[in-house]
Amino acid sequence: MFKIFFKKAYERVDWDFLHLTLKDFGFPPPTIKLIMKCTMSTTLSLKWNGKKLDNFAPSRGLRQGDPMSPYLFVLCMEKLSLLIQQKVQDSSTWVPVKIAQNAPSISHLFFVGDCLLFTEAKSSQIRLVMEVLEAFCGASGLKVNVHKTHIMTSKHVSTIKVNRFAAISQFQHTRQIGKYMGFPMLTGRVRNSDFNYILEKINSRLAGRKMKLLNRAGRVTLANSVLTTMPVYTMHSSN
């Protein structure tokens, strides 16, 4: 399993790639023109020695905070999904994995910028993954963050193979893949300590300045709100 991190993903999306993506997905030309105008109308400026320099126009990137940007980024990531599906269907070039004998095959899971890739533990598969990522990054303008991207293998994969995979991909091997969609990817038996981060979030929220400014009734209301809403997502995901 690969957990892919892209460097400043929103800021690196190539506008030509975005235009081609909208066209390939069948957006009407007037809609494409409007979207591209909203995206490309931004300007930037720098401060040098306390003085603001002249504005200049960038050549790539999606606006942070724009409600349209996540949708555009998802469409761009869908191009990577289609590329992977093509490799899977191309005489099983990309071999996905199964969590059980009768379970469906899984080649990738995307959630906006969260990207998980799954293949068999073979050197040829690692090289194919790298080729797909290189092709996608070359077209989209995105760049994989080598230092934050990790690979994870099952316990049955030998250390020699793990070292070989790391050398081919230049990604670090790990036994704990971290979080996906804000939920920790747990392996093995679940322990109480795995959910300590929920308690830390609750404590930080209840220890804020807002709590000190409220009366007793307000504190009870805020505590009930925090205690009933924050754990819900994690408990739902863990099921």
Side-chain angles (χ1 to χ4, degrees):
M1 179 172 66
F2 295 77
K3 185 174 184 182
I4 307 297
F5 277 85
F6 293 103
K7 288 185 177 179
K8 298 182 178 180
Y10 275 43
E11 300 176 12
R12 299 187 65 92
V13 174
D14 185 83
W15 288 344
D16 291 335
F17 177 78
L18 175 60
H19 186 276
L20 180 62
T21 298
L22 295 174
K23 183 178 179 181
D24 289 344
F25 278 107
F27 282 76
T31 303
I32 296 177
K33 183 177 180 180
L34 179 61
I35 292 175
M36 295 307 301
K37 184 175 182 180
C38 293
T39 303
M40 299 172 63
S41 61
T42 184
T43 57
L44 303 175
S45 63
L46 300 175
K47 274 191 175 182
W48 184 262
N49 293 333
K51 295 182 179 180
K52 181 181 177 182
L53 302 181
D54 294 337
N55 293 343
F56 64 93
S59 60
R60 63 177 62 199
L62 301 175
R63 299 191 187 196
Q64 296 285 350
D66 190 328
M68 183 175 62
S69 294
Y71 297 97
L72 297 179
F73 187 79
V74 167
L75 288 175
C76 293
M77 290 298 295
E78 189 65 18
K79 297 289 285 187
L80 175 58
S81 176
L82 293 174
L83 182 58
I84 294 175
Q85 291 178 27
Q86 180 182 357
K87 295 296 182 181
V88 172
Q89 298 170 2
D90 185 14
S91 300
S92 299
T93 304
W94 181 306
V95 183
V97 300
K98 292 184 177 182
I99 60 176
Q101 185 175 1
N102 297 324
S105 300
I106 304 175
S107 58
H108 60 284
L109 293 173
F110 293 164
F111 180 75
V112 191
D114 290 344
C115 177
L116 298 179
L117 308 179
F118 302 87
T119 66
E120 282 190 343
K122 295 181 179 179
S123 298
S124 58
Q125 293 291 290
I126 306 300
R127 294 189 182 93
L128 179 60
V129 170
M130 299 308 298
E131 292 175 3
V132 170
L133 288 175
E134 184 178 356
F136 174 72
C137 291
S140 65
L142 299 183
K143 186 175 182 180
V144 176
N145 190 327
V146 178
H147 302 291
K148 290 186 177 182
T149 297
H150 294 86
I151 57 175
M152 183 178 178
T153 59
S154 67
K155 298 179 180 179
H156 304 290
V157 179
S158 65
T159 304
I160 296 177
K161 281 190 174 182
V162 169
N163 294 334
R164 188 186 307 155
F165 297 159
I168 295 174
S169 63
Q170 300 299 312
F171 301 150
Q172 297 180 4
H173 179 263
T174 182
R175 291 296 180 188
Q176 297 293 335
I177 206 67
K179 295 181 179 181
Y180 177 73
M181 295 174 58
F183 183 77
M185 302 290 291
L186 304 176
T187 57
R189 180 175 297 179
V190 179
R191 299 166 298 179
N192 291 338
S193 58
D194 294 327
F195 298 95
N196 285 342
Y197 74 97
I198 300 179
L199 297 177
E200 294 174 359
K201 284 185 177 181
I202 292 175
N203 290 333
S204 63
R205 184 69 64 85
L206 296 179
R209 293 180 57 188
K210 184 183 294 185
M211 178 67 78
K212 298 179 181 179
L213 298 176
L214 297 175
N215 57 23
R216 183 183 297 272
R219 293 179 183 181
V220 172
T221 301
L222 179 59
N224 288 335
S225 175
V226 172
L227 292 174
T228 54
T229 57
M230 295 192 68
V232 167
Y233 175 73
T234 301
M235 290 189 293
H236 174 75
S237 300
S238 61
N239 291 332

